[in-house]
Amino acid sequence: KQEVTQIPAALSVPEGENLVLNCSFTDSAIYNLQWFRQDPGKGLTSLLLIQSSQREQTSGRLNASLDKSSGRSTLYIAASQPGDSATYLCAVRSNDYKLSFGAGTTVTVRA
Amino acid sequence: GAVVSQHPSRVICKSGTSVKIECRSLDFQATTMFWYRQFPKQSLMLMATSNEGSKATYEQGVEKDKFLINHASLTLSTLTVTSAHPEDSSFYICSARRGLANEQFFGPGTRLTVL
């Protein structure tokens, strides 16, 4: 069974600082990995999707890397803003198409 | 494109009643829909997977008679929580897969509170 862990559970930084969010998974036989953002009491917004054959994906200030062999992914958010405050979820899709989620990292960016 | 809606967004009910939650893909046909539940500060847990016109596949530990799923069309799936109890209080999120694409689109969630 795929286990997904996210560290840290919570993070508070001043505005402008870069954010580094970590995700690890136990089974390296994955189809792809996806990062989501979740605002309090809301659903999920997809941020980045990395296929198993890819090493990284970038979108604006966001960059996600994937090291499948070591079971790790990192989400980098450059020059953080208060609007980046949210919970960030890492999800791994196995070859049976099921998504396994981490518990998330709750980010607070202080103005 | 790729919008998924859920209704209602919030529901409060008395213990013992049944609650139906609808999930719709608004601008695409969903070959597969997924239902998740999320407890505060915890991860999303997959409850069941449903394909249009066939019975849902439930994850281990999820009572199929308690959580009835009907995937009646390519744009609508419903989750009925039967005889709800306070421990069923949670955030329920649906997700839809478009065609054979490998990306899921998530609804905004439904907050269920059972008194």
Side-chain angles (χ1 to χ4, degrees), chain A residues 1 31-32 34 36 38 41-44 46 49 51 89 93 97-99 101-103, chain B residues 34 36 38 41-44 46 59 91 93 97 101-104 106-109 111:
Chain A
K1 184 188 174 204
Y31 190 77
N32 59 38
Q34 200 163 354
F36 294 90
Q38 185 176 31
K42 304 292 185 183
L44 276 63
S46 179
L49 184 150
Q51 301 293 350
L89 298 170
R93 180 171 280 106
Y97 199 75
K98 289 182 181 178
L99 271 178
F101 284 85
Chain B
F34 307 84
Y36 297 83
Q38 185 181 32
K41 298 189 184 302
Q42 293 189 26
S43 174
L44 274 74
L46 179 64
E59 294 300 300
F91 193 56
I93 302 177
R97 178 186 182 189
N102 58 18
E103 191 170 5
Q104 286 175 225
F106 287 79
R111 171 73 60 194

Side-chain angles (χ1 to χ4, degrees), chain B residues 62-63 100:
Chain B
V62 178
E63 300 174 58
L100 296 179

Side-chain angles (χ1 to χ4, degrees), chain A residues 26-86:
Chain A
T26 54
D27 186 351
S28 61
I30 67 170
Y31 190 77
N32 59 38
L33 183 145
Q34 200 163 354
W35 283 93
F36 294 90
R37 168 184 172 137
Q38 185 176 31
D39 292 287
K42 304 292 185 183
L44 276 63
T45 300
S46 179
L47 297 175
L48 290 167
L49 184 150
I50 311 176
Q51 301 293 350
S52 63
S53 59
Q54 297 177 317
R55 299 283 292 183
E56 67 176 346
Q57 276 288 345
T58 298
S59 176
R61 294 185 294 112
L62 277 60
N63 174 276
S65 66
L66 173 64
D67 184 342
K68 199 173 67 166
S69 61
S70 66
R72 296 177 190 274
S73 176
T74 303
L75 177 66
Y76 300 91
I77 303 177
S80 61
Q81 304 168 357
D84 295 329
S85 298

Side-chain angles (χ1 to χ4, degrees), chain B residues 81-103:
Chain B
V81 183
T82 62
S83 186
H85 290 285
E87 58 266 28
D88 298 323
S89 298
S90 187
F91 193 56
Y92 292 87
I93 302 177
C94 77
S95 175
R97 178 186 182 189
R98 178 172 57 187
L100 296 179
N102 58 18
E103 191 170 5

